[in-house]
Amino acid sequence: MKTCIFLSATATVLAVVIATAQAPSSTLVAASPQTQAQGQTAPEPTGDPDTGEELYTDIGCYACHGFEGQGGVTGPRIAPRPFPLALFIRFVRQPPNQMPLYTDRSVSDEDLGHIHAYLLSRPEPPAVDSIPLLQP
Amino acid sequence: MSEKRAVDRRDFLKGAAVTGAAALVPDVALGAAPPEAPQAAPAQGAAQTAESGTAPVTAREVDPAVEVEFTTDVPGGDFMVDVVKSLGFEYIAANPGSSFRGIHESLINYGGNVAPELLTCCHEESSIAMAHGYFKVEGKPMAVMCHGTVGLQHGAMAIYNAYCDRVPVFMLAGNHLDASMRRPGVEWAHSVQDAAAMVRDFTKWDDTPHSLPHFAESAVRAYKIAMTPPMMPVLITIDGGLQEDPITPDIASRLRVPKLTVATPPQGDSGAVAEAAALLVNAENPVIVVDRVARTPAGIGLLVELAETLQAPVIDRHGRMNFPSRHALNQTESANQVIAGADVILGLELFDFWGTVNAMRDALHRTSRSRVREGTRLISITSQDLFTKSNFQDFQRYPEVDIAMAADAEATLPALTEACRRLVTDDRRSAFGERRQRLELAHVRGRDAARAEAAYGWNATPISTARLAAELWDQIKDEDWSLVSESGNSSGWVWRLWDFQNSYHHIGDSGGAGVGYGAPAAVGGALANKKHGRISVNIQADGDFLYAPGVWWTAAHHRIPLLTVMHNNRGYHQEIMHIQRMANRHNRGVTSARLGSALDNPNPDFAKIAQGMGVHAEGPITNPSELGPAIRRALDVVKGGEPALVDAVTQPR
């Protein structure tokens, strides 16, 4: 009839695996890959964003991270600034958190490059101060 | 009343005597034998047949004119209504069924269809889930009637949700015990030896009264048991004959409605309270984690008092409306970090204490780890420790705590707060003040982070769940509002963006996570809000909507104002994620996870379905800029006293 809700332990586990200095402030967004990647060298786009968009939906990334990679209760935000590609691939192959792993039998490194390019192509969000509905 | 009933009894006996003499007319003799010819009594006739070895004589009912003698203006169902009325129910929900036709008719024509008023439901799951939602706003149970067989089976899921959520529902289930009096065919299929058996594992108490005095006592007892923490559904099976037959003089002389005295909830032991207070006051990082603690509107204030006495952070699991979302001590945004840093954790009515202090990884190998540091002292106050059943495993994993008070948490809060106050020294007060400052800053940071996070995907199509929550909040924030369901799993944005303060601002969740709760619970909650003039708001999951959509007709029929905005992610999305996990684990078909869980091709048109039920509806809306105006139009309808729905196509979570 119904099963449990995934409770993401992402934040804490990620913080252990990928050492960064920034203390998380939210259970949903803390220590998300893109947050962790801040300060690192910007990754080079290696794939095609359009192909990546299709793959991103087809292999189910959207299910936990949202169609825009904006994240949610089931998976952290991963766009528009994902991990550098090498780290991104390593994370997908060996996720240290609740994320189901994707082996190279499920998705190739090349396809992960396309997905990575799609995530990089996502627009930056509007400034929060410019959104009347989000004012305190 | 007893005198009148005595007269009826005499009339009934007279009729019965006549009937006994004339009722059994052999088919073969019908028409040939004069109606007045006396026939053998059935027992005697059967004995004669056995002795003679001849074929049994088929009996049939006598001249229908004799049935007139069986009419009565005081059936047992009327007394049942007296009892039901004495318990103060406003409403009684039912999908009609012949096994309770007696009391159904009594409710209408004897009870006048007021207090309780009948709610016409299209499914028993709707009836019971409506009662579930109603209680969580109103704080008192709704009555429900259903068939003891097919109705209970339909309603079982909703009963289980209420049971898991520790919510009382008062159920009357019709049945026909006397096999010799059942109509052939359906009435046999709708009869059962022990109706309650199928739901006994997830109800608190049941009975099958054998007389009207027995019914009165059992009904009042059931109400008392249901309302004593931990609260749960109760069930009385009511026999068809008991409802329909006249009240006999000997029974009439014994009829009375017992006095109801609801039990006071149990407080924690005074020694344990003192020990807990000492731990909390002397802790450097005490944390209060709450789930179903605010049992009454007073619960919020009592919890605020304790938190402010200690200046301790509160983590809200949202099983009830426990703690103001914008209170500086509300640290739910940073729950994991706060719990990880705690040296004392007070758990109040926690559904899952083990899961609060441990994390389990749903990976190829399920592993768990402690979320708390070694030596953290754990205190539990919960009425769950007073009553636990075996079969269904909703009691969760065994929590290893240092102090376990088997008590009602809300009832214990005043004593605990007072015990803490007595122990606070100037040094501790100073430390508490510093802690408060830190927590205020953390709270502001958490809110700022939430607002910043909500901006991601703000203009996306499908609509982000953050945008949905923000658009809805913008329309209702100046109203007297009540969120009566959030079945959409919309990433908790309402908690991050809305200002929850009052007891009716939120009613928790289903308890058992059985899909199908959301829509009817929202309708039930909205019904409770109706007389208070509140704007009831429902964020409605698409999968949940489709379980028993007849509830929208019930909302329209009974003029229940309810503003519903769909969280329509086109699928049973939780299950999509589960199948994705399996495909990944099995290294195959990772592109096929939506099969069997997606709700598309064709897309259900929820607005059309709602319109067909008589509900104002718009959608599907995919452009986020169109959502606010649509909600505003729907709100105008709701303010006019009707339900309205906006179908928003959304991001998955």
Side-chain angles (χ1 to χ4, degrees), chain B residues 185-368:
Chain B
V186 172
E187 198 154 272
W188 279 81
H190 287 185
S191 297
V192 56
Q193 285 185 24
D194 181 2
M198 75 177 99
V199 296
R200 189 162 289 136
D201 275 330
F202 43 94
T203 48
K204 194 174 182 186
W205 190 76
D206 67 82
D207 198 15
T208 303
H210 284 253
S211 68
L212 293 173
H214 185 173
F215 170 80
E217 191 164 319
S218 292
V220 175
R221 187 195 302 274
Y223 189 100
K224 178 177 180 176
I225 289 171
M227 289 294 286
T228 303
M231 301 180 192
M232 294 175 192
V234 290
L235 173 64
I236 302 295
T237 305
I238 47 174
D239 179 55
L242 215 54
Q243 302 167 51
E244 298 175 20
D245 290 344
I247 298 169
T248 58
D250 57 323
I251 291 295
S253 68
R254 295 196 287 128
L255 290 183
R256 57 183 293 274
V257 180
K259 176 182 174 183
L260 169 69
T261 305
V262 176
T264 53
Q267 276 191 33
D269 168 77
S270 58
V273 166
E275 196 181 344
L279 283 174
L280 288 164
V281 169
N282 293 314
E284 288 308 311
N285 293 303
V287 177
I288 303 169
V289 190
V290 297
D291 199 345
R292 295 174 182 150
V293 61
R295 180 175 38 76
T296 73
I300 300 172
L302 293 172
L303 183 57
V304 167
E305 220 173 327
L306 175 66
E308 291 184 345
T309 297
L310 296 164
Q311 299 301 349
V314 175
I315 308 298
D316 196 344
R317 297 303 194 202
H318 302 312
R320 299 289 186 272
M321 177 55 223
N322 296 307
F323 198 72
S325 61
R326 294 187 177 176
H327 192 289
L329 294 174
N330 192 325
Q331 302 288 318
T332 308
E333 274 287 303
S334 334
N336 287 351
Q337 290 71 44
V338 171
I339 287 170
D343 54 357
V344 174
I345 295 176
L346 171 65
L348 299 177
E349 301 290 354
L350 283 189
F351 170 62
D352 182 8
F353 206 130
W354 187 91
T356 299
V357 295
N358 291 279
M360 176 168 274
R361 183 165 175 248
D362 183 14
L364 300 187
H365 298 287
R366 288 188 173 180
T367 54
S368 61

Side-chain angles (χ1 to χ4, degrees), chain B residues 133 136-137 318-321 468-469 472-473 476 479-490 492-496 498-509 517-518 521-526 529 534-540 562-565:
Chain B
K136 290 174 82 171
V137 170
H318 302 312
R320 299 289 186 272
M321 177 55 223
L468 185 153
L472 187 49
W473 175 241
I476 64 163
E479 309 286 346
D480 188 17
W481 58 275
S482 172
L483 181 64
V484 285
S485 186
E486 194 221 349
S487 60
N489 286 321
S490 47
W493 280 113
V494 291
W495 288 106
R496 306 177 79 190
W498 295 16
D499 184 10
F500 290 84
Q501 296 182 42
N502 299 332
S503 63
Y504 52 84
H505 275 172
H506 187 246
I507 67 168
D509 55 22
Y517 159 90
V523 172
N529 280 323
R534 298 172 190 145
I535 300 294
S536 297
V537 182
N538 169 34
I539 298 176
Q540 176 63 50
L562 170 61
L563 173 62
T564 292
V565 179

Side-chain angles (χ1 to χ4, degrees), chain A residues 70-126:
Chain A
Q70 78 275 17
V73 72
T74 50
R77 174 162 46 82
I78 53 175
R81 283 169 277 120
F83 285 142
L85 182 58
L87 186 56
F88 178 76
I89 293 174
R90 199 175 93 200
F91 196 97
V92 170
R93 302 289 185 224
Q94 294 178 306
N97 55 5
Q98 297 278 16
M99 177 174 155
L101 67 85
Y102 285 78
T103 66
D104 55 7
R105 289 168 59 191
S106 296
V107 57
S108 67
D109 284 2
E110 183 185 358
D111 284 349
L112 287 176
H114 294 314
I115 291 170
H116 191 259
Y118 169 67
L119 296 174
L120 282 170
S121 75
R122 297 297 79 214
E124 288 286 341

Side-chain angles (χ1 to χ4, degrees), chain A residues 34 45 48-54 56-57 61-62 65-71 77-82 88 114-126, chain B residues 455-462 651:
Chain A
Q34 79 158 49
D48 171 47
D50 293 337
T51 306
E53 180 175 14
E54 199 172 324
Y56 182 83
T57 303
C61 309
Y62 82 95
H65 300 285
F67 289 108
E68 296 294 310
Q70 78 275 17
R77 174 162 46 82
I78 53 175
R81 283 169 277 120
F88 178 76
H114 294 314
I115 291 170
H116 191 259
Y118 169 67
L119 296 174
L120 282 170
S121 75
R122 297 297 79 214
E124 288 286 341
Chain B
Y456 285 87
W458 185 255
N459 295 313
T461 296
Q651 295 278 327

